[in-house]
Amino acid sequence: MHTSIFLTLLTPAIAIPLTNPSCLPTNPNPNWLPAANTTVTCDKTSDKIISFYVGPQIETVLNDACAAMMPPCAYQDRVSPDTMCIQTIDWKLSDAKSSVQNANVEDAKTANKLSGWAVKCE
């Protein structure tokens, strides 16, 4: 079972949908800014929430999700030292990507942690 965070993927940039005030964490990381002209999508109808109070933090979840969806050389610190990567800041994606990440998923009404759930980033 997965709960989803929808990340808008652009070619060649990636946008993290954290600009809609109703979707922002209380202390957003200024290093995670959306690309210009992107649209934010928040599912406010879900009966589940993603909790970042304990366990994996939002920066870790988003960074790991992006690393899983981007070409390996986009995160050169995650490839073996003998891997040759071109120097670029623009990484084109061949198609839509998704990644499942570990995070604490809770019942929105009771705030009880739900086992067997993960976060799907798209």
Side-chain angles (χ1 to χ4, degrees):
M1 295 176 269
H2 305 290
T3 190
S4 292
I5 295 177
F6 293 99
L7 303 178
T8 304
L9 295 178
L10 299 177
T11 304
I14 185 164
I16 307 302
L18 295 179
T19 56
N20 185 330
S22 61
C23 298
L24 279 171
T26 54
N27 293 315
N29 182 335
N31 296 321
W32 282 96
L33 298 175
N37 302 318
T38 59
T39 302
V40 176
T41 304
C42 286
D43 178 4
K44 293 187 172 193
T45 62
S46 178
D47 60 345
K48 292 159 194 65
I49 58 172
I50 303 166
S51 172
F52 296 108
Y53 294 109
V54 296
Q57 296 300 294
I58 190 169
E59 294 86 3
T60 302
V61 172
L62 291 176
N63 200 40
D64 289 349
C66 289
M69 293 185 281
M70 297 294 286
C73 282
Y75 285 78
Q76 293 183 21
D77 60 323
R78 296 179 182 223
V79 296
S80 67
D82 60 340
T83 302
M84 180 181 250
C85 295
I86 61 170
Q87 265 190 321
T88 184
I89 58 170
D90 296 330
W91 294 97
K92 296 185 180 194
L93 302 178
S94 56
D95 53 15
K97 305 286 183 189
S98 68
S99 171
V100 175
Q101 299 296 317
N102 290 324
N104 291 324
V105 178
E106 299 177 355
D107 182 281
K109 292 180 183 173
T110 65
N112 291 330
K113 185 176 178 187
L114 302 172
S115 62
W117 284 83
V119 177
K120 183 178 181 183
C121 302
E122 297 180 315

